[in-house]
Amino acid sequence: MFRLFKRKPSADPPAEAAAGAASPSLVQTQPAQPAQPQQPPQAAAAAPAASPGAAPLEPGEPGSAAPGAPAGWFGRLRQGLRKTGAGLSGLFGGARIDEALFEELETALILADAGSAATAQVLQELRRKVRAARAETPHQVRELLREVLTELLSPLQKPLDIGRTSPTVIMMVGVNGAGKTTSIGKLTRHLQAAGCKVLLAAGDTFRAAAREQLAAWGERNGVQVIAQQGGDPAAVAFDAVQAGRARGMDVVIVDTAGRLPTQAHLMEELKKVKRVMGKAMEGAPHEAILVIDATNGQNALAQLRAFDDTLGLSGIILTKLDGSAKGGVIAAIARERPVPIYFIGVGESLEDLQVFDAQAFARALVDG
């Protein structure tokens, strides 16, 4: 799930860090002056590197789709993709391979919002594999389709690196209703399970009750939330990054207001928030993650292009796959804009946000 770079804890943790961990509450701050950030000591400004002897911990959290993972997760994944895979899974019951089978596959992929370019690529590679393997039954075509999809989606499979810098600053973006705040809450719980200290920032100062919603997740997870009443989003982000450094946090997650990619002035504001984070800590944000609602289908691809062009995204969280028949958009993402997919959501519970595994996803999609 995460690739954690462990470092030896300092012998004398800052007093502020202990105070910051004392109570999970909503911390009100006065608007900062990001244009004139206080310069931290030189030693603290340098990003701590991973210890030469510290090997990265590969994904292994409960619920991961990696080998040895609980069968329950794959079952939830399969159930969550049932709507998307409905058109695919029933195509392989025939007795022979003919052109009609490939036409039906093309239709099913298009209806799942895979897009014409990705669909053409999948079918071209599938035909090649069928010829090379001298496949004779639709069942063999099913197995080869799983291989083709796995190969297409594998470049999107990448763990979220935590600990290369301290703290690791994550900026969460997306349109309204994509599930950013809920994803932050679930991601925080997973990070805590991996032993990370997390600080949240309520950078969505526009949406009514957004601050309270994030505060509720903070209370639920036992972490503090940095917020300002009607404050500037960039100032909130600046305060949160500085507080995370002072308190010895491992991760700072900054929420942002939902916005449409067509709202140019709001997209420009995201650039400002990102710049201000860099003033609070060199290199921040270290991760810019777009939360995408899978029910948006091909519109999700347009969102991805716009946010990636604006911020230079490092990863994606794809939510609400269980409520959509358009999960095939993941193939379009792999074909058109292969930004890594860190997590996928196939339900409401905490366990339903899990690491993206290309092979497991392809298997659940094709097998139904």
Side-chain angles (χ1 to χ4, degrees):
M1 180 172 295
F2 307 110
R3 185 158 52 195
L4 303 176
F5 292 83
K6 297 293 187 181
R7 294 179 301 278
K8 293 180 180 179
S10 58
D12 298 309
E16 226 179 342
S23 61
S25 60
L26 183 66
V27 179
Q28 299 282 0
T29 67
Q30 295 300 319
Q33 302 297 326
Q36 298 177 343
Q38 182 179 355
Q39 294 299 321
Q42 186 64 29
S51 172
L57 302 179
E58 296 302 328
E61 263 57 53
S64 170
W73 160 237
F74 182 75
R76 289 194 297 275
L77 176 61
R78 198 170 183 177
Q79 180 65 32
L81 293 178
R82 191 171 297 279
K83 290 183 179 180
T84 298
L88 286 173
S89 58
L91 300 180
F92 305 100
R96 59 178 183 156
I97 302 173
D98 53 20
E99 189 59 28
L101 174 60
F102 288 100
E103 290 177 359
E104 290 174 345
L105 282 171
E106 180 179 20
T107 300
L109 289 169
I110 292 293
L111 290 176
D113 261 19
S116 57
T119 296
Q121 178 178 335
V122 168
L123 291 177
Q124 180 180 3
E125 181 63 13
L126 180 61
R127 289 177 184 273
R128 187 192 69 78
K129 283 183 176 288
V130 166
R131 289 194 299 269
R134 297 184 179 181
E136 298 179 351
T137 67
H139 177 74
Q140 291 173 296
V141 176
R142 182 205 296 265
E143 294 178 348
L144 293 172
L145 179 59
R146 282 200 299 259
E147 289 183 16
V148 171
L149 289 174
T150 299
E151 291 168 4
L152 175 64
L153 301 179
S154 288
L156 304 182
Q157 181 179 324
K158 179 185 175 184
L160 173 60
D161 285 347
I162 299 295
R164 286 185 182 274
T165 59
S166 182
T168 298
V169 180
I170 300 174
M171 182 180 185
M172 302 285 280
V173 299
V175 303
N176 288 317
K180 289 190 307 300
T181 307
T182 300
S183 296
I184 288 172
K186 293 180 179 181
L187 178 58
T188 298
R189 182 69 65 86
H190 285 305
L191 285 164
Q192 289 177 309
C196 297
K197 294 185 293 182
V198 183
L199 181 68
L200 304 181
D204 183 351
T205 60
F206 295 100
R207 184 168 61 88
R211 189 170 59 101
E212 289 74 14
Q213 184 182 0
L214 191 66
W217 273 108
E219 183 176 356
R220 188 172 174 183
N221 290 326
V223 300
Q224 286 193 335
V225 179
I226 300 296
Q228 291 178 9
Q229 183 70 38
D232 176 53
V236 175
F238 182 85
D239 286 349
V241 174
Q242 287 211 320
R245 298 182 70 184
R247 300 173 190 177
M249 294 292 164
D250 298 307
V251 182
V252 175
I253 304 178
V254 179
D255 190 15
T256 60
R259 64 203 71 214
L260 294 174
T262 54
Q263 296 172 309
H265 64 293
L266 293 181
M267 296 300 282
E268 285 298 317
E269 184 187 66
L270 280 183
K271 291 182 181 179
K272 174 187 173 184
V273 173
K274 182 178 180 180
R275 287 196 304 269
V276 170
M277 286 188 195
K279 293 178 181 179
M281 179 180 180
E282 184 177 357
H286 309 102
E287 298 281 347
I289 299 178
L290 174 65
V291 180
I292 298 178
D293 180 346
T295 62
N296 288 328
Q298 283 291 305
N299 286 335
L301 189 58
Q303 294 170 23
L304 173 58
R305 292 193 188 102
F307 281 97
D308 193 28
D309 290 344
T310 299
L311 294 174
L313 297 171
S314 60
I316 296 169
I317 296 178
L318 188 62
T319 65
K320 306 182 185 180
L321 280 165
D322 56 314
S324 173
K326 300 179 179 181
V329 70
I330 198 169
I333 291 173
R335 173 69 171 74
E336 303 291 337
R337 192 67 69 106
V339 175
I341 296 179
Y342 290 145
F343 299 93
I344 57 175
V346 293
E348 295 296 326
S349 71
L350 174 67
E351 294 76 16
D352 290 329
L353 180 72
Q354 286 293 344
V355 65
F356 173 68
D357 183 297
Q359 185 175 15
F361 190 95
R363 178 184 163 199
L365 186 64
V366 174
D367 292 353

